[in-house]
Amino acid sequence: MKNIGILVFNDIELLDFAGPYEVFSVTDEINDHTLCKCFTVEESGKIIRSVNGLKIVPDYSFLNCPDIDILIIPGGVGTKELLENDSVLKWISQRSELSEITFSVCSGSRLLGKIGLLDNLEYITHHEVIEDMINIAPTAILSANKRFVDNGKIMTSAGISAGIDLSLYLVEKIFGKIIMKKTKE
């Protein structure tokens, strides 16, 4: 059983976290809830609001969050504020060290870049975030025109729907092609 933890925060892009959440949840559901458990985590466990106003009640706070095998860092304009939040950056860094895989969706790459997880690695992000990324992670190597990049433990995806593509890729990589195809159906 893989624990899939998704960081949520104010001004998160809804599909950046909901797409991967749905992929992994469907994967688990069609396999009798034996493969993975998907959950959300917010710094203090408080209700947050997405970019377009949807309220989200997180499953856990940083203090009561279970172990995470796959850590997902979504994007949204809220990532700009998180660049200055040492508590969140420290949590991502610590959880990433312990996770099997950490991946960002869209502008979530800002946070991975800020804590050095993209140093000297290939990455992709949303096209509107490239300028920020050049400043945040100058040694990271932009891999333009890709949907996602797999560096092994650290992965990144481009825009909003690319997070779904990377999630499906991971389902296949971890659980196999047959399960990935059933998830897509």
Side-chain angles (χ1 to χ4, degrees):
M1 175 76 73
K2 299 283 185 194
N3 278 346
I4 318 291
I6 304 175
L7 178 68
V8 293
F9 47 87
N10 280 316
D11 293 321
I12 191 172
E13 192 65 51
L14 182 60
L15 195 54
D16 278 13
F17 90 89
Y21 189 97
E22 182 72 3
V23 168
F24 288 109
S25 295
V26 167
T27 296
D28 189 49
E29 180 183 8
I30 64 174
N31 289 283
D32 299 320
H33 302 286
T34 60
L35 296 182
C36 53
K37 177 184 176 194
C38 197
F39 53 85
T40 55
V41 184
E42 196 274 337
E43 182 177 10
S44 62
K46 68 181 180 198
I47 293 172
I48 59 108
R49 189 179 300 267
S50 75
V51 169
N52 293 312
L54 181 71
K55 291 180 183 176
I56 298 123
V57 179
D59 298 306
Y60 298 102
S61 72
F62 288 179
L63 293 176
N64 68 359
C65 179
D67 291 341
I68 297 173
D69 300 303
I70 299 172
L71 174 60
I72 302 173
I73 310 299
V77 296
T79 58
K80 286 183 182 180
E81 188 174 317
L82 293 182
L83 288 171
E84 305 304 320
N85 185 323
D86 290 336
S87 174
V88 170
L89 296 172
K90 182 178 178 182
W91 184 84
I92 293 169
S93 182
Q94 290 172 338
R95 287 299 179 138
S96 179
E97 278 184 39
L98 300 172
S99 71
E100 295 172 21
I101 295 168
T102 297
F103 81 78
S104 64
V105 179
C106 195
S107 60
S109 62
R110 286 180 176 132
L111 302 175
L112 299 186
K114 174 76 174 188
I115 60 176
L117 292 178
L118 298 177
D119 289 354
N120 302 308
L121 290 180
E122 198 178 340
Y123 79 96
I124 189 60
T125 190
H126 190 275
H127 63 90
E128 292 178 1
V129 180
I130 292 171
E131 283 291 317
D132 284 350
M133 288 300 295
I134 290 169
N135 294 317
I136 292 168
T139 66
I141 304 156
L142 177 66
S143 187
N145 301 319
K146 288 190 176 178
R147 298 284 292 160
F148 56 86
V149 174
D150 178 353
N151 287 296
K153 184 176 172 71
I154 305 297
M155 301 179 186
T156 55
S157 62
I160 293 171
S161 63
I164 295 170
D165 294 344
L166 179 51
S167 297
L168 287 166
Y169 167 81
L170 273 174
V171 167
E172 181 175 353
K173 185 174 183 173
I174 296 167
F175 304 116
K177 192 172 200 145
I178 292 170
I179 290 175
M180 184 275 294
K181 284 185 175 183
K182 286 182 182 177
T183 299
K184 282 177 67 172
E185 291 177 349

